[in-house]
Amino acid sequence: IGLHPDDPPLKKLGNVSRILISKANIQKAIDLVPSPNLGVTMCQANYLAMGEDVYDCIEHFGRQNKIFFVHFRDIAGNGECFHETFHDNGPTDMVKALKCYQNVGFDGPIRVDHVPTMAGEANGRPGYETMGRLYAVGYLRGIAEAIGYPLR
């Protein structure tokens, strides 16, 4: 099980209280019942929206071998007001982030997630249109190749 942070990481969404809204809370959830089968989906933009240091979170959970899946994405803003950015146009240094995964020995799945729609493309599936995703996949693969990090 790869716990995904609450998205967006707000204490309440409508009348529903939420708990997976900080690095500390996610660590508590992992520690409730220790298991090699319980970890996190490292949705980078959610950790950024929480106000957490993305690189520290990667290293924190990665050193415990608790990153099971990566959502490689970025946003501008915070949990209460944000928008998706292209991977090369947000506040996160994506090269540094990928190097963090490499340094902790992460060898699981990494997927690009929530990309803006490219100009001229239909927007029937916001965040998941083809051209924006292709751009993001190429960007991820380019970084990985440049730093010598083989992706599965």
Side-chain angles (χ1 to χ4, degrees):
I1 298 172
L3 298 175
H4 191 291
D6 287 320
D7 187 2
L10 302 173
K11 290 181 181 182
K12 276 192 132 181
L13 190 60
N15 290 325
V16 178
S17 295
R18 302 170 78 189
I19 58 172
L20 298 178
I21 59 172
S22 69
K23 177 178 125 182
N25 285 10
I26 292 170
Q27 185 65 54
K28 284 180 194 176
I30 290 171
D31 292 341
L32 279 174
V33 179
S35 170
N37 300 312
L38 180 60
V40 300
T41 296
M42 186 63 207
C43 187
Q44 297 177 177
N46 267 246
Y47 287 89
L48 181 63
M50 292 172 193
E52 302 284 1
D53 179 308
V54 172
Y55 321 108
D56 175 66
C57 290
I58 294 167
E59 291 177 3
H60 174 81
F61 294 115
R63 282 191 303 268
Q64 300 174 65
N65 294 316
K66 290 298 185 181
I67 299 175
F68 290 1
F69 188 53
V70 173
H71 286 176
F72 199 70
R73 64 183 272 235
D74 208 0
I75 61 165
N78 58 43
E80 294 175 359
C81 183
F82 67 90
H83 67 273
E84 308 293 340
T85 65
F86 282 107
H87 294 75
D88 63 342
N89 195 32
T92 304
D93 180 336
M94 298 301 241
V95 174
K96 182 176 179 179
L98 206 56
K99 284 180 179 178
C100 288
Y101 294 114
Q102 184 180 35
N103 290 341
V104 297
F106 178 74
D107 68 350
I110 300 176
R111 92 166 214 205
V112 297
D113 200 19
H114 300 271
V115 296
T117 301
M118 293 288 238
E121 189 171 30
N123 199 23
R125 296 170 302 189
Y128 295 97
E129 291 298 339
T130 303
M131 297 306 291
R133 290 183 67 72
L134 286 172
Y135 178 82
V137 167
Y139 185 75
L140 169 60
R141 297 217 36 108
I143 294 171
E145 186 174 317
I147 67 171
Y149 185 27
L151 299 178
R152 307 198 262 166

